[in-house]
Amino acid sequence: MAIKSCLLVLPLALLLLGGSPPPAAAQLEVGYYSKTCPNAEAIVRNEMNKIISAAPSLAGPLLRLHFHDCFVRGCDASVLLNSTNGNKAERDAKPNRSLRGFGSVERVKAKLEAACPNTVSCADVLAIMARDAVVLAKGPTWPVPLGRRDGKVSSATEAADQLPPAFADVPLLTKIFASNGLDVKDLAVLSGAHTLGTAHCPSYADRLYNFSSGHSADPSLDSEYADRLRTRCKSVDDTATLSEMDPGSYRTFDTSYYRNVAKRRGLFQAYYNIVDVFFVIRVHANCQVYARIA
Ligand code: HEM
C-alpha cells in the first residue's frame, strides 16, 4: 500500500509540470472538454489500447514525450513541432533524438480532430497519453486536469540547455528540477519513470569503458551488472544497442527500478554513485519504499 501511494506521487508530480505552461494558459481543469468534446479522453484511451497492445514497449516513450515537452517552455507540445529552414526545433536537440512515439501522437490527434475539430490541444493529448501509457503498463491512474495551450516556439538550444543530461549529478538535477518548480522528492519519485523503457548504449557506456584515470568502469556500478551490460553494449560508439532500464520488467510500471538502484544497478550516472543511491533511498524513506527495497 505504501509503495502504491508513493508511486501515485509520480503522476501527481507530472501534473504539477502542467502547472507551468506559457503565460497565456488558462487554469487547468479536470473535465475541461466535457461540453466541447465529451468523448475526448475515451477516444484517446481507445487508441492507446490499440497502440500499446500492438507495441507494449511504447508506454515508456510516450510517458517520456510528456516529460520532455514539459521541461522546455512548460507543457505546450513544443516538442512536437518540426524544424524549419531558419529554426532547429526541440525534437532535433541531442537529448530528444531518442524520443519515440510521434506517430502514435499523430494517430490519436487525427481521431480527435475527426470527432471534434480544432478543440483538443496537442499538449493535452500528450498529458492524457502519458497517463494512459502508465495505466496500460499496470501503473496507477489519475485524473488529468486539461486546458493547456499549444506553443508556437520550439528551440533545440533551449531543449539542450534545459533537459537533464544522463551524466548529471544530484546537485545539477536538483537545480534543473527546481527551475521547473519541483523539489528533490519530486526528482527522486519522477526518476521512478525509468521503471519503463530502454536506453541506448551511449547514454551509459562511459560508465563501462574508460570511466576515469583510476578506473576503467564506474566503481559505483555493481560489477556483475557492469559485466552484463558490457556483453550488450560493446563500445561507447555502439549506437544501435538498447538496454532495459528496469531489467526484467521494463514494460511494467512497478517499484523494481528502485530495488535495482539500491543494488547499484541503475543505468545512468545521474543518481547512481553510491552517495546518490543513499540519497534516493533516504528521500524514498518518506514514502516507506525503503522498507521494501532494503
Ligand atoms: C531525472 C533526470 C532524468 C534523466 C537524467 C533522464 C535521462 C534519460 C536517458 C539518458 C534516457 C535514455 C535515452 C536513450 O538512450 O535512449 C532516458 C529514458 C527514459 N526516460 Fe528519463 N531521465 C530523467 C527523468 C525522467 C523523467 C522525469 C521521466 C518521466 C516522468 C523519464 C522517463 C523516461 C523514459 C520512460 C525513458 C525510456 C524511453 C524509451 O524507452 O525510449 N525520465 N532518460
Side-chain angles (χ1 to χ4, degrees):
M1 198 58 209
I3 285 189
K4 192 155 189 216
S5 63
C6 194
L7 277 177
L8 279 172
V9 180
L10 185 145
L12 289 176
L14 268 178
L15 290 182
L16 290 178
L17 301 181
S20 54
Q27 190 68 37
L28 303 186
E29 117 193 39
V30 173
Y32 180 82
Y33 297 108
S34 58
K35 294 207 172 64
T36 52
C37 191
N39 292 328
E41 291 193 50
I43 291 168
V44 178
R45 171 56 74 90
N46 189 37
E47 280 310 297
M48 280 295 285
N49 277 334
K50 293 186 212 158
I51 289 165
I52 299 300
S53 65
S57 65
L58 272 180
L62 291 171
L63 173 59
R64 188 174 182 227
L65 262 184
H66 181 42
F67 162 54
H68 280 221
D69 180 37
C70 292
F71 261 43
V72 187
R73 295 188 164 262
C75 313
D76 66 345
S78 50
V79 73
L80 300 178
L81 297 175
N82 285 320
S83 293
T84 57
N85 277 342
N87 181 59
K88 193 168 166 192
E90 281 174 39
R91 66 191 275 177
D92 291 321
K94 195 172 171 205
N96 282 338
R97 282 188 208 135
S98 57
L99 287 179
R100 297 187 289 139
F102 292 102
S104 303
V105 178
E106 274 178 34
R107 174 172 158 178
V108 169
K109 180 71 166 124
K111 288 282 175 191
L112 285 166
E113 284 304 299
C116 320
N118 300 318
T119 305
V120 182
S121 70
C122 292
D124 280 344
V125 172
L126 287 176
I128 304 169
M129 287 179 77
R131 187 269 314 274
D132 289 355
V134 170
V135 172
L136 291 166
K138 301 191 171 56
T141 188
W142 65 96
V144 182
L146 299 169
R148 293 167 188 77
R149 303 274 195 266
D150 291 341
K152 292 191 172 132
V153 176
S154 181
S155 151
T157 312
E158 286 181 358
D161 289 347
Q162 291 163 24
L163 289 166
F167 58 80
D169 57 10
V170 170
L172 176 58
L173 290 173
T174 305
K175 195 170 152 214
I176 294 172
F177 273 62
S179 65
N180 285 282
L182 298 166
D183 65 17
V184 284
K185 186 170 170 188
D186 298 320
L187 162 60
V189 172
L190 282 164
S191 77
H194 290 165
T195 178
L196 293 178
T198 53
H200 290 81
C201 195
S203 295
Y204 58 87
D206 281 346
R207 305 185 74 201
L208 306 176
Y209 306 101
N210 306 319
F211 179 68
S212 67
S213 52
H215 301 278
S216 61
D218 182 346
S220 71
L221 197 58
D222 172 69
S223 57
E224 236 174 73
Y225 180 59
D227 287 344
R228 233 180 16 242
L229 287 175
R230 268 188 294 268
T231 64
R232 288 189 58 77
C233 172
K234 304 265 193 245
S235 82
V236 286
D237 303 319
D238 175 355
T239 51
T241 303
L242 290 168
S243 289
E244 298 172 12
M245 292 201 290
D246 183 4
S249 76
Y250 77 107
R251 291 175 179 175
T252 309
F253 193 97
D254 58 17
T255 50
S256 54
Y257 158 81
Y258 289 114
R259 276 187 285 273
N260 282 324
V261 171
K263 289 183 200 154
R264 303 192 226 160
R265 292 178 183 176
L267 219 45
F268 308 131
Q269 198 165 342
Y271 309 92
Y272 313 127
N273 69 54
I274 187 68
V275 176
D276 297 345
V277 168
F278 284 121
F279 164 86
V280 170
I281 290 171
R282 224 177 34 243
V283 172
H284 275 274
N286 295 336
C287 313
Q288 296 171 11
V289 168
Y290 177 69
R292 300 285 187 94
I293 57 180

